[in-house]
């Protein structure tokens, strides 16, 4: 009996299709014949196909499962998702961007939706002498002693997103918005396209491992091609991409089927072949060679600010770069720290979830290393990650960053609805697609204004926070201006919650956090590989003493 019931349930929809077809034939009703015939044909196909076992067991009805699965993200986002559920951005965060981009009120009523007593809650400590700020266009100067063309930039800018990942209309809207709002647009590693140039907004040209836009036929760096484009006045800074948050340590492939004539010309890659972005650079292989490379780019660009972007992986490798800076007395003009929670395009799940250091941890390692090496004042440090609000910007500046970049925030500003279909070429709003018909829906003049509005209103919010704390510029924000609730209900200032290095401590291996001392001695300017011998010599009671090392084993007294 149970088997018969199960059999009935499995094939009932298919049987109903046959009955519908039979009824249509008896009644000579063409609508029933067509519907029943198609459903019956589908059921017969399901019975004999071997790809999906669920269709073999549930002919016709099994397709409902795939249908609901296809629409599950939309059903969840529109009907089930909580206002504060961050997957990866909450509805409240997205709504805030939309409101600011459209220049409409972003105020809410009836109190916060947050539980202010839960672990991890943070808040700024306002001042009794707070005052509103008149100037909300906060800017900083980027450029060290070797830089001949320092750049005055906003503290909030568009993070790296390539043409190819984003549509032509999206790139134009972003760049025109940057032009209107007088802030900066990072090209991403996909090179400078005609759409970046159309409106003349300030650019940071990102040079990735594929050297797109400045490569020879073999994919190596081409100095002449670089110099020709880098001296253009629209290019304000040059950024070497060592790694990125979404997939640090991994290269990428743009399939030949997606390479249009425009992408081929922009990236200087042939059509009919996959466009490969290697995992690492061919122009350098050691920290000292990296220093030589950024100086070469600085010279070829006419002395413009040159820096690098990375998602922190093995800390001693970044420290090795710092040691190379000190040894050569040659410093990048800026460093951008990309958090592992970032990413606007496609990446393997394992890399998105489990490779690379999150933004705050990565930034603090960079900041503390530069302070500990006594060179923090020589280099500006920007951050990019999950940053969309004035609080997000203020928090990172309080921790020590000089400026913030946002990618997905500006994607929301040009119409992104977080459909998470960036890698499918079927973006419903025309933002992340090369489909010419889909991207036509993105109206460039309208979205340009929204990009500029989002930037302006976010800085306005930042200014309100700075004024409430009783300061006059975001540079004055400090970790002790923010409090954090601990797991036991106690409250700590961020200046006590996070570790902050003493100036020059690493040079004497006297950092209060000994792990910094250990990683520092592992770093060497000549190689990205760890010097384990030096670590063992420093940490004499290491369990690995005497194993696979040139340092001889010896007995402790």
């Amino acid at each position: 009996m149970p088997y018969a019931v199960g059999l009935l349930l499995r094939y009932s929809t298919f049987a109903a299709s046959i009955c519908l077809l039979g009824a249509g034939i008896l009644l000579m009703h063409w609508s029933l014949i067509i519907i029943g015939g198609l459903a019956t044909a589908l059921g017969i196909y399901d019975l004999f196909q071997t790809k999906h076992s669920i269709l073999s067991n549930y002919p016709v009805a099994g397709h409902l499962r795939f249908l609901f699965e296809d629409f599950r993200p939309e059903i969840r986002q529109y009907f089930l998702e909580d206002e504060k559920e961050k997957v990866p951005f909450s509805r409240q965060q997205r709504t805030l961007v939309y409101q600011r981009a459209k220049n409409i009120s972003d105020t809410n009523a009836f109190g916060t939706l947050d539980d202010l007593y839960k672990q991890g809650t943070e808040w700024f400590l306002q001042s009794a002498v707070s005052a509103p700020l008149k100037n909300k266009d906060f800017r900083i100067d980027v450029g060290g002693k070797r830089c001949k063309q320092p750049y005055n930039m906003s503290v909030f800018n568009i993070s790296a997103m390539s043409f190819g990942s984003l549509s032509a209309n999206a790139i134009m809207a972003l760049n025109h918005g940057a032009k209107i709002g007088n802030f900066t647009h990072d090209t991403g590693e996909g090179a400078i396209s005609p759409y970046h140039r159309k409106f003349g907004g300030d650019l940071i040209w990102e040079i990735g491992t594929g050297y797109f836009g400045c490569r020879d036929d073999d994919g190596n760096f081409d100095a002449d091609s670089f110099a020709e484009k880098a001296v253009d006045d629209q290019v304000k800074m040059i950024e070497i991409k060592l790694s990125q948050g979404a997939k640090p340590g991994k290269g990428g492939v743009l399939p030949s089927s997606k390479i249009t004539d425009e992408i081929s010309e922009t990236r200087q890659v042939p059509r009919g072949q996959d466009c490969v972005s290697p995992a690492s650079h061919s122009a350098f292989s050691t920290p000292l060679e990296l220093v030589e490379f950024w100086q070469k780019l600085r010279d070829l660009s006419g002395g413009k600010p040159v820096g690098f972007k990375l998602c922190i992986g093995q800390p001693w490798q970044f420290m090795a770069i710092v040691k190379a800076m000190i040894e050569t007395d040659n410093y990048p003009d800026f460093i951008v720290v990309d958090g592992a929670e970032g990413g606007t395009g496609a990446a393997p799940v394992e890399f998105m979830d489990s490779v690379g250091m999150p933004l705050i941890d990565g930034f603090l390692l960079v900041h503390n290393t530069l302070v500990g090496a006594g060179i923090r004042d020589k280099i500006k440090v920007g951050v990019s990650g999950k940053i969309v609000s004035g609080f997000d910007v203020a928090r990172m500046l309080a921790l020590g960053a000089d400026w913030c970049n946002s990618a997905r925030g500006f994607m929301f500003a040009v119409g992104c609805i977080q459909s998470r279909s960036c890698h499918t070429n079927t973006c419903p709003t025309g933002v992340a697609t090369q489909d010419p018909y889909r991207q036509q829906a993105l109206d460039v003049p309208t979205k340009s204004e929204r990009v500029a509005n989002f930037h302006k209103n976010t800085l306005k919010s930042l200014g309100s926070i700075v004024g409430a704390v009783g300061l006059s510029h975001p540079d004055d924000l400090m970790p002790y201006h923010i409090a954090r609730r601990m797991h036991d209900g106690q409250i700590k200032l961020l200046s006590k919650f996070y570790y902050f290095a003493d100036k020059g401590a690493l040079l004497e291996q006297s950092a209060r956090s000994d792990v910094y001392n250990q990683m520092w001695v592992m770093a060497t300017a000549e190689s990205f590989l760890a010097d384990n011998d030096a670590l063992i010599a420093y940490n004499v009671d290491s369990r690995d003493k005497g194993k696979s090392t040139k340092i001889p084993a010896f007995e402790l007294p």
Side-chain angles (χ1 to χ4, degrees), residues 6-225:
L7 200 65
L8 180 63
L9 291 174
R10 285 165 55 190
Y11 295 103
S12 57
T13 307
F14 182 37
S17 302
I18 297 173
C19 293
L20 188 64
L21 174 61
I25 294 173
L26 290 174
L27 299 173
M28 293 302 293
H29 195 293
W30 287 105
S31 296
L32 296 180
I33 292 174
I34 293 172
I35 295 172
L38 290 175
T40 301
L42 180 62
I44 295 172
Y45 168 79
D46 291 343
L47 286 172
F48 289 98
Q49 61 82 39
T50 57
K51 187 176 180 180
H52 299 289
S53 57
I54 194 170
L55 296 181
S56 296
N57 285 328
Y58 298 89
V60 183
H63 288 279
L64 294 176
R65 188 256 186 194
F66 297 112
L67 180 66
F68 292 144
E69 188 178 55
D70 286 341
F71 284 98
R72 178 185 178 275
E74 287 78 9
I75 293 171
R76 187 178 187 279
Q77 180 175 344
Y78 296 134
F79 301 109
L80 304 177
E81 182 182 297
D82 183 82
E83 289 292 320
K84 306 289 289 187
E85 193 173 354
K86 299 179 180 180
V87 284
F89 288 88
S90 70
R91 180 176 295 276
Q92 187 179 70
Q93 288 175 310
R94 301 194 305 270
T95 299
L96 179 66
V97 176
Y98 298 147
Q99 289 170 332
R100 289 180 173 168
K102 295 175 183 178
N103 218 19
I104 60 178
S105 175
D106 58 3
T107 57
N108 289 322
F110 223 64
T112 179
L113 299 177
D114 284 337
D115 176 7
L116 300 183
Y117 295 94
K118 71 179 180 181
Q119 176 187 350
T121 299
E122 295 178 346
W123 61 92
F124 271 94
L125 306 176
Q126 83 280 3
S127 171
V129 292
S130 61
L133 303 184
K134 293 181 179 179
N135 178 29
K136 305 290 178 64
D137 184 23
F138 306 115
R139 309 188 72 81
I140 60 167
D141 292 318
V142 180
K145 67 178 183 180
R146 294 176 183 260
C147 175
K148 298 178 182 178
Q149 301 184 52
Y151 178 55
N152 182 254
M153 69 185 298
S154 172
V155 298
F156 187 51
N157 303 283
I158 302 172
S159 193
M161 294 180 284
S162 301
F163 168 60
S165 295
L166 265 57
S167 67
N169 283 21
I171 293 293
M172 287 190 288
L174 290 169
N175 192 257
H176 193 199
K179 178 71 172 180
I180 296 170
N182 192 26
F183 54 102
T184 314
H185 180 193
D186 193 313
T187 66
E189 66 175 313
I192 305 172
S193 72
Y195 307 106
H196 287 97
R197 295 191 178 280
K198 183 171 182 179
F199 295 102
D202 288 355
L203 294 176
I204 299 174
W205 184 10
E206 183 177 277
I207 308 297
T209 55
Y211 307 111
F212 300 126
C214 56
R215 55 188 266 145
D216 60 22
D217 294 338
D218 297 322
N220 299 312
F221 176 71
D222 186 327
D224 293 335
S225 180

Side-chain angles (χ1 to χ4, degrees), residues 358-388:
L359 176 59
I360 293 177
D361 302 298
F363 165 73
L364 287 176
L365 185 132
V366 168
H367 176 73
N368 284 326
T369 299
L370 296 177
V371 171
I375 59 173
R376 179 64 178 87
D377 59 331
K378 300 178 184 294
I379 305 168
K380 291 292 190 293
V381 181
V383 294
S384 57
K386 210 170 179 179
I387 299 172
V388 295

